[in-house]
Amino acid sequence: CSTAPRRRSSSPTRTGAPTATTWISEPAAAPSTATSTDTRQDELLWGAAWLRRASGDDTFREYIQNNGKTLGAEDSINEFGWDNKHAGLNVLISKEFIEGEALSMQSYKESADSFICTLIPESSSPHIQYTPGGMIYKPGGSNMQHVTSISFLLLTYAKYLTKSSHTVNCGDISVGPDTLRLQAKKQIDYLLGDNPMKMSYMVGYGDRYPQRIHHRGSSLPSIKDHPERMACKDGTPYYDSSSPNPNPLVGAIVGGPGEDDAYGDDRADYRKSEPTTYINAPLVGVLAYFVGNPNPGHIRH
């Protein structure tokens, strides 16, 4: 029994994942028109790519080569997150092609380049939506997951390009690694306060940040302030309250504003006010990079 009403259904789960010792010999899944939420196709390729990276075993690369098309590797899905690994898969696999170790993986490099071009507003290629204030935006809620995960991919691909002196051909312009780093920095600057709302979307950072996040532990009083037992529905008044959360969840990043850059700081609007691990996780690597490289236009090699 919850202490406050939940305004959405639980996320779908994936079942039937193969074991570590047997999955590589499993027949490829049949093509599906279902969304990635209902399949594990991208997960099989993503797992094979990381096992190849960790072990150097050619068996995993052969699995990708033999099953990639069937498992949707050629799908043009410009997204990277907990439920769709396609863009990350292309960036990860393209490393071997860029370094000249796997020329047979050229199609993954081409897909990675295509993804990168969608992130460059100056490119003649069709690109993803940006808000008027400059934030990457995709419909569906918890938008900061796209900001943090795509920023991570931009920095990763910039690293690969730098080591190989490669660039990305985006129609009438050539995009180098410095452009990718600057694009990532713009997104993180937006997240931390350089936006039309002049608000940091990380709790506890800056002078203005979300006060009413959609998080049970943050919105309920602490046991020190409320030692009495709370019954099943006793949390509802705190959920409905317009007061700031009594327990700030410092460091948490909320879903963030919508396509108009507006953020109402409303606890009930979970699509904007709920923090998640899949928003925070990619940002750890991004912030670590910028701590070591505060000026992305002049990177130490």
Side-chain angles (χ1 to χ4, degrees):
C1 189
S2 63
T3 58
R6 293 291 287 176
R7 305 298 172 88
R8 63 175 178 177
S9 60
S10 60
S11 298
T13 58
R14 305 185 189 208
T15 59
T19 65
T21 56
T22 63
W23 79 274
I24 197 67
S25 61
E26 179 181 320
S32 171
T33 57
T35 64
S36 60
T37 300
D38 301 320
T39 72
R40 65 185 184 194
Q41 296 178 11
D42 58 325
E43 306 288 1
L44 289 171
L45 293 173
W46 181 243
W50 273 112
L51 288 169
R52 162 65 184 171
R53 178 76 173 269
S55 67
D57 190 335
D58 289 342
T59 303
F60 299 109
R61 186 166 67 191
E62 292 168 3
Y63 179 88
I64 295 169
Q65 291 172 323
N66 294 336
N67 297 286
K69 184 174 182 179
T70 303
L71 295 176
E74 297 180 358
D75 295 348
S76 297
I77 302 176
N78 295 317
E79 187 173 332
F80 179 57
W82 68 270
D83 194 33
N84 196 310
K85 307 298 189 297
H86 280 88
L89 171 73
N90 292 327
V91 167
L92 178 60
I93 295 178
S94 67
K95 181 177 186 291
E96 289 197 54
F97 175 82
I98 291 173
E99 295 177 350
E101 297 178 4
L103 298 182
S104 60
M105 295 297 193
Q106 181 176 356
S107 63
Y108 291 90
K109 167 66 164 59
E110 292 171 351
S111 294
D113 285 355
S114 177
F115 166 69
I116 292 299
C117 291
T118 68
L119 304 175
I120 308 301
E122 298 80 11
S123 168
S124 59
S125 305
H127 53 77
I128 67 172
Q129 181 179 350
Y130 284 83
T131 65
M135 177 185 69
I136 290 172
Y137 178 77
K138 285 180 173 287
S142 297
N143 190 71
M144 282 301 173
Q145 66 178 301
H146 305 299
V147 171
T148 59
S149 62
I150 289 176
S151 294
F152 184 90
L153 285 189
L154 283 166
L155 293 179
T156 301
Y157 208 51
K159 179 180 179 180
Y160 297 166
L161 295 177
T162 297
K163 288 186 175 181
S164 61
S165 300
H166 277 65
T167 58
V168 178
N169 182 12
C170 294
D172 54 355
I173 63 172
S174 180
V175 177
D178 284 351
T179 299
L180 305 191
R181 296 185 187 103
L182 289 170
Q183 193 71 3
K185 188 173 187 300
K186 288 179 182 178
Q187 294 303 303
I188 302 309
D189 287 345
Y190 183 107
L191 187 156
L192 294 177
D194 187 8
N195 56 64
M197 295 291 293
K198 304 301 180 185
M199 170 182 279
S200 162
Y201 293 105
M202 177 186 285
V203 176
Y205 182 85
D207 296 328
R208 187 173 182 227
Y209 52 83
Q211 302 288 326
R212 301 165 188 83
I213 69 172
H214 184 96
H215 186 277
R216 186 169 291 118
S218 177
S219 59
L220 293 175
S222 68
I223 193 170
K224 178 181 178 181
D225 296 330
H226 192 289
E228 297 82 14
R229 178 181 179 275
M230 296 187 72
C232 184
K233 297 295 184 180
D234 287 353
T236 301
Y238 298 98
Y239 178 86
D240 293 334
S241 170
S242 61
S243 300
N245 287 11
N247 299 307
L249 193 63
V250 175
I253 302 168
V254 296
E259 59 185 327
D260 57 356
D261 294 302
Y263 183 81
D265 202 8
D266 179 1
R267 190 179 296 111
D269 188 0
Y270 66 85
R271 292 180 181 274
K272 293 184 177 181
S273 63
E274 184 175 33
T276 68
T277 54
Y278 55 79
I279 296 176
N280 269 75
L283 187 65
V284 175
V286 175
L287 291 180
Y289 175 84
F290 284 128
V291 167
N293 300 278
N295 186 349
H298 298 82
I299 303 302
R300 298 190 302 270
H301 300 304

